[in-house]
């Protein structure tokens, strides 16, 4: 079943509110006030439409850390073409645009994520491009920098994502990964570039303060 874009926008507005992630207070996002409440409210609707859970409605630790890194080091993205890989609500794409990126494409398999990206961009006075697709179907050469946050939480998803990110690094694309210690994070080829402690709701993470690292993926390692 296909959900009309206007219905997606209405669903987001009904179940989230504008807020500021604690590590990136200069950015506003449509966020769920409580994880459990949104999951329960959307469970039947998502089941009916065959869509994935509402990951787009949360500022995950890896995304906050990666967005903070980009905002504090604009030279990483300045005048460059950015891919926000597995973007959710587009926090990292928005941070890249605020830091001076030439363009930012936020890609996620969930069409609700694309709606959230557009709404979040509008809330911050910028226009990240949004695409509903599997990011591994894209050509890495179309981008200068790939930003991937919290993409290693599931084995089935992590293996193809990791292979694509390695291909991007081998193509001389800068690949940065924000990760709070997910089980399926790549085991080699990573250089740490920044560490953060991210305030996180306990219904999302095990702790209220989640240590999170930004890594650079090196080619050929």
């Amino acid at each position: 079943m296909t959900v009309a874009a206007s219905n997606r926008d209405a669903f987001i507005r009904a179940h989230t509110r504008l807020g500021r992630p604690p590590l990136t207070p200069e950015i506003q996002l449509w966020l769920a006030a409580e994880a459990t409440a949104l999951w329960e409210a959307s469970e039947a609707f998502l089941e009916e439409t065959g869509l994935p859970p509402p990951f787009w409605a949360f500022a995950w630790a890896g995304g906050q850390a990666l967005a903070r890194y980009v905002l504090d080091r604009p030279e990483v993205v300045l005048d460059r073409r950015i891919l926000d890989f597995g973007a959710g609500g587009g926090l990292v794409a928005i941070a890249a645009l605020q830091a001076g990126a030439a363009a930012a494409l936020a890609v996620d398999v969930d069409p609700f994520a694309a709606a959230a990206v557009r709404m979040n961009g509008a809330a911050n006075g910028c226009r990240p491009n949004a695409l509903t697709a599997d990011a591994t179907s894209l050509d890495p050469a179309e981008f200068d920098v790939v930003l991937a946050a919290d993409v290693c939480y599931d084995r089935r998803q992590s293996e193809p994502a990791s292979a694509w990110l390695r291909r991007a690094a081998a193509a001389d694309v800068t690949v940065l990964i924000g990760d709070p210690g997910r089980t399926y994070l790549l085991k080699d080829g990573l250089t740490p570039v920044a560490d953060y402690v991210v305030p996180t709701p306990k219904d999302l993470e095990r702790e209220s303060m989640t240590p999170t690292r930004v890594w650079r993926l090196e080619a050929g390692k």
Side-chain angles (χ1 to χ4, degrees):
M1 176 179 175
T2 301
V3 182
S6 59
N7 291 341
R8 292 194 288 267
D9 290 359
F11 182 87
I12 292 169
R13 291 182 188 279
H15 295 286
T16 65
R17 64 188 184 195
L18 278 174
R20 297 181 182 272
L23 207 64
T24 58
E26 53 269 77
I27 295 176
Q28 293 188 94
L29 300 175
W30 289 92
L31 298 171
E34 184 184 344
T36 303
L38 176 60
W39 242 272
E40 289 176 350
S42 59
E43 186 175 12
F45 181 79
L46 296 171
E47 244 178 53
E48 180 184 343
T49 56
L51 294 170
F55 295 121
W56 47 265
F58 306 99
W60 299 90
Q64 289 194 57
L66 192 50
R68 184 74 266 158
Y69 181 80
V70 165
L71 288 167
D72 291 344
R73 297 165 180 81
E75 67 276 7
V76 173
V77 298
L78 184 64
D79 295 329
R80 296 183 178 179
R81 301 166 299 165
I82 309 303
L83 172 63
D84 185 352
F85 182 104
L91 168 59
V92 178
I94 291 166
L97 289 173
Q98 288 193 351
L105 176 63
V107 179
D108 198 286
V109 295
D110 186 349
F112 277 79
V117 168
R118 289 190 291 270
M119 292 172 62
N120 289 333
N124 291 279
C126 64
R127 292 186 179 182
N129 295 314
L131 176 65
T132 301
D134 181 346
T136 64
S137 66
L138 303 178
D139 181 357
E142 295 179 3
F143 308 97
D144 303 307
V145 180
V146 172
L147 304 173
D150 268 315
V151 297
C152 299
Y153 56 86
D154 174 83
R155 183 190 295 275
R156 290 173 300 174
Q157 177 272 345
S158 178
E159 289 179 354
S162 297
W164 189 92
L165 293 172
R166 288 193 188 280
R167 186 155 60 93
D172 204 28
V173 176
T174 299
V175 178
L176 296 171
I177 301 170
D179 189 271
R182 302 299 184 206
T183 301
Y184 300 106
L185 179 66
L186 295 82
K187 303 304 181 189
D188 52 61
L190 295 173
T191 298
V193 295
D195 287 292
Y196 301 92
V197 177
V198 184
T200 46
K202 284 191 174 181
D203 53 359
L204 281 186
E205 305 287 356
R206 290 186 295 270
E207 305 293 338
S208 59
M209 302 295 288
T210 301
T212 304
R213 179 166 284 178
V214 176
W215 302 88
R216 184 176 64 248
L217 180 59
E218 309 289 355
K221 292 186 179 181

